[in-house]
Amino acid sequence: MKVTIITIGGKFEADWNTAIVIPAFEKDFPIQSELLSEELDMLVQSIIDREAFSGKEEEVFFIPTHGTQYAGIILLGMGEKGKIYEEKTRRAGGIVANCARANKISRLVFDWSNLNLFYIPSVVEGLILSLFSFDKYKGDSNKGDKVNITGATFLTRPDENIERVIKVINDTVSVCNSVNMCRTLVSSPANELTPESLAEFARTMCDKVELKCKIVTKEEMEEEGLNAILAVGKGSSREPYLILVEYRHPDYEGELVAFVGKGVTFDTGGICLKPRDDMHEMKYDMAGAGVVLGVLYALGELKPKTRVIGVIPAVENAPGNNALLPGDVIRTYSGKTVEVLNTDAEGRLILADAISFAYKKYSPNTIIDIATLTGGCITALGHFAGGIMGNDKQLVESLIQSGEKTGERLWELPLWSDYEKLVKSEVADIANIGPKGEASTIVGGIFLKSFIEGNTKWAHIDIAGTAWGVRHIPYWNEKYPTGFGVRLLTNWLISKSQS
């Protein structure tokens, strides 16, 4: 999608596939717009007079026009005047995109002359994210007649910050493309996106944006002693891999950040088999891995001054004849032993080895893991926030702040020492689950915390409720994964590099 900014009086292209977008605050009438002729202005006012449009937040009204250079006018409700912020404008972008596609509009011209220039990037964000679809496996006759928005023009008043905003818009487009890349990965069926093909995807991606990539094979993991990853993967005929992706700006010698993403390409639950209802959604259990790849891809495009290592344990959890059994004890890469009481709590096992590997091989200052770890996170927070825990208050708060900025909200859960008693084992150093129905999301965090060594700062983000199935947010279609975390972690890294 091509995005342009022009000042009042500037020329722009418009045709029968173009709609004017006029933002309006609640009951702030009459509407003033540089793009409306006297005749169109009267048409808009008649709609308002009939109280068909009031300007309430997330309200939208499409007015077809005849005999003009436009196909129509989209009235966009912005809610109470004076209460405007990034998430509101991001959702407004999604609302406009959905309205435009429903009315076969492919080009948009926004009258932004009465609004702050710096909110344009978040509108663009909402537009791009809302346009995501996944129809790779559909025949042409089943894809439908969807219209894509190919261009968005913003009419503004002269401002010395226009060039600066254009740079932010270009970066926003790159990040949103990375999000949608992640969403495509997460949408892919498990017979196509296996641990091996995920590793190959990572290698190809790294070649494209000049990142370093190393793939650790099953044989190499056996030599290293990555026994937890191997144990989870041994029930499947598809071999596990450990994917390592590195970004390093040539002029940066500062702190190293490790992102660890859960890459279970399909989770049957193993021997502790999941119920059949909605099991097809377990192809999404590699969403954390998708987020890490999305962030690294964005870094390769934006090239901020930072250093990052992405660590992705990629496995398939299946109940084969050699599968991990309840009661098994694993000696993890760290040397700590784990009693496996539930083979469906496999994500924390592979993350434990990946975290220890990152610490031993790369000595990062900060480790952040992201995973669809616990259904309990959905019970606690629903689909509107991810859970976050960590051992460093400043780190956790900075991630929460980035989430507020990107609309990917996080809610901190405690890691009090009392919870450590819940994962005590009679036969090993630690058990992989706690008592049934008791603080399951926190127990997952407590388990991972036990594998953090030295003075490493660490945070754990549980995206079980936000990786897919999110409703009522206009730029996220509930049919598709969200890519939750890509924008958040990219924002956090860039903010960190600029501070």
Side-chain angles (χ1 to χ4, degrees):
M1 184 177 72
K2 183 179 179 181
V3 182
T4 55
I5 295 178
I6 63 170
T7 54
I8 294 172
K11 293 183 178 181
F12 57 88
E13 296 181 7
D15 56 25
W16 186 240
N17 296 311
T18 304
I20 302 171
V21 181
I22 303 177
F25 291 103
E26 188 171 3
K27 297 180 180 177
D28 185 29
F29 305 126
I31 288 176
Q32 303 291 330
S33 174
E34 299 287 339
L35 296 175
L36 294 179
S37 64
E38 184 176 349
E39 183 180 354
L40 290 178
D41 187 67
M42 292 174 64
L43 176 61
V44 169
Q45 190 57 47
S46 70
I47 298 294
I48 294 167
D49 290 343
R50 288 198 299 272
E51 298 183 347
F53 176 81
S54 65
K56 289 181 180 179
E57 188 173 339
E58 299 193 5
E59 184 181 10
V60 66
F61 195 99
F62 178 72
I63 309 170
T65 57
H66 178 70
T68 69
Q69 64 182 123
Y70 311 113
I73 302 165
I74 297 175
L75 300 180
L76 175 64
M78 299 298 292
E80 187 177 343
K81 191 171 186 179
K83 289 189 177 180
I84 187 166
Y85 46 90
E86 283 181 289
E87 179 62 11
K88 178 185 278 191
T89 51
R90 188 179 293 115
R91 295 187 184 199
I95 289 166
V96 169
N98 295 332
C99 176
R101 294 179 85 178
N103 289 283
K104 310 297 183 184
I105 301 296
S106 59
R107 300 176 68 175
L108 299 166
V109 179
F110 288 78
D111 185 344
W112 210 254
S113 57
N114 296 313
L115 289 161
N116 192 313
L117 190 69
F118 288 100
Y119 289 116
I120 293 177
S122 52
V123 176
V124 172
E125 204 170 3
L127 288 171
I128 296 174
L129 294 176
S130 67
L131 295 177
F132 176 81
S133 63
F134 186 77
D135 55 10
K136 177 180 177 181
Y137 298 98
K138 287 187 174 184
D140 291 341
S141 61
N142 290 317
K143 286 183 178 179
D145 188 23
K146 287 188 176 180
V147 175
N148 278 322
I149 298 174
T150 59
T153 299
F154 291 81
L155 177 71
T156 70
R157 298 186 184 280
D159 192 305
E160 61 182 11
N161 292 305
I162 286 179
E163 290 302 318
R164 179 181 166 193
V165 171
I166 289 173
K167 168 66 167 60
V168 176
I169 289 171
N170 291 336
D171 290 350
T172 297
V173 171
S174 294
V175 173
C176 287
N177 289 339
S178 299
V179 174
N180 286 342
M181 180 198 80
C182 166
R183 296 167 84 183
T184 298
L185 267 180
V186 180
S187 297
S188 300
N191 62 323
E192 293 284 339
L193 191 71
T194 64
E196 182 178 13
S197 61
L198 181 60
E200 284 305 312
F201 177 91
R203 196 191 303 275
T204 302
M205 182 199 85
C206 289
D207 289 342
K208 184 176 180 180
V209 288
E210 299 180 339
L211 301 174
K212 290 183 180 179
C213 183
K214 181 180 179 182
I215 308 299
V216 183
T217 64
K218 176 185 174 184
E219 291 74 21
E220 291 168 327
M221 283 193 279
E222 289 171 343
E223 292 175 10
E224 285 282 356
L226 290 158
N227 298 320
I229 297 173
L230 292 166
V232 172
K234 69 180 183 176
S236 172
S237 61
R238 297 184 169 112
E239 293 189 354
Y241 290 85
L242 184 65
I243 303 166
L244 307 170
V245 179
E246 187 173 0
Y247 168 82
R248 181 171 185 167
H249 192 280
D251 299 329
Y252 183 77
E253 297 294 334
E255 294 184 349
L256 173 67
V257 174
F259 289 140
V260 180
K262 176 185 171 184
V264 179
T265 57
F266 195 83
D267 181 19
T268 67
I271 293 296
C272 300
L273 196 67
K274 291 179 180 291
R276 69 176 184 177
D277 292 345
D278 299 324
M279 195 197 280
H280 64 282
E281 293 182 344
M282 287 301 98
K283 67 179 183 178
Y284 298 147
D285 213 20
M286 46 65 63
V291 170
V292 171
L293 289 175
V295 173
L296 268 296
Y297 186 79
L299 296 180
E301 291 277 319
L302 302 178
K303 296 181 169 43
K305 289 187 177 181
T306 189
R307 292 173 61 208
V308 176
I309 178 70
V311 182
I312 298 170
V315 303
E316 184 177 81
N317 186 24
N321 60 6
N322 195 36
L324 182 67
L325 301 175
D328 283 359
V329 175
I330 305 167
R331 185 170 297 279
T332 65
Y333 185 75
S334 70
K336 186 171 292 189
T337 57
V338 178
E339 181 185 12
V340 179
L341 296 178
N342 189 337
T343 63
D344 194 24
E346 84 300 329
R348 64 199 66 183
L349 297 175
I350 66 172
L351 289 174
D353 263 5
I355 286 169
S356 298
F357 185 88
Y359 176 79
K360 181 177 178 180
K361 298 294 185 181
Y362 295 95
S363 302
N365 304 87
T366 302
I367 295 176
I368 299 171
D369 73 80
I370 185 163
T372 49
L373 203 72
T374 64
C377 198
I378 306 174
T379 303
L381 300 173
H383 294 282
F384 295 119
I388 185 168
M389 291 149 269
N391 65 1
D392 185 90
K393 191 69 176 177
Q394 187 175 357
L395 171 62
V396 169
E397 287 179 352
S398 65
L399 287 164
I400 290 172
Q401 288 171 7
S402 284
E404 290 292 332
K405 186 164 181 66
T406 64
E408 296 160 295
R409 292 171 292 187
L410 300 174
W411 189 261
E412 186 179 7
L413 298 171
L415 289 176
W416 299 322
S417 59
D418 293 315
Y419 290 110
E420 294 172 8
K421 299 168 187 174
L422 302 183
V423 289
K424 283 189 174 181
S425 167
E426 296 297 327
V427 299
D429 295 323
I430 192 170
N432 77 325
I433 61 168
K436 185 177 181 180
E438 189 171 339
S440 62
T441 301
I442 294 172
V443 165
I446 286 287
F447 180 90
L448 294 174
K449 181 174 179 272
S450 70
F451 292 89
I452 301 301
E453 300 182 57
N455 296 318
T456 310
K457 298 176 184 178
W458 162 77
H460 161 61
I461 301 175
D462 192 331
I463 57 171
T466 55
W468 76 93
V470 179
R471 298 185 292 274
H472 312 304
I473 294 180
Y475 53 82
W476 280 337
N477 188 325
E478 66 178 286
K479 295 189 298 184
Y480 302 122
T482 62
F484 183 104
V486 175
R487 291 176 297 123
L488 187 160
L489 294 178
T490 303
N491 176 273
W492 177 80
L493 270 173
I494 291 176
S495 299
K496 190 172 184 292
S497 71
Q498 293 173 346
S499 61

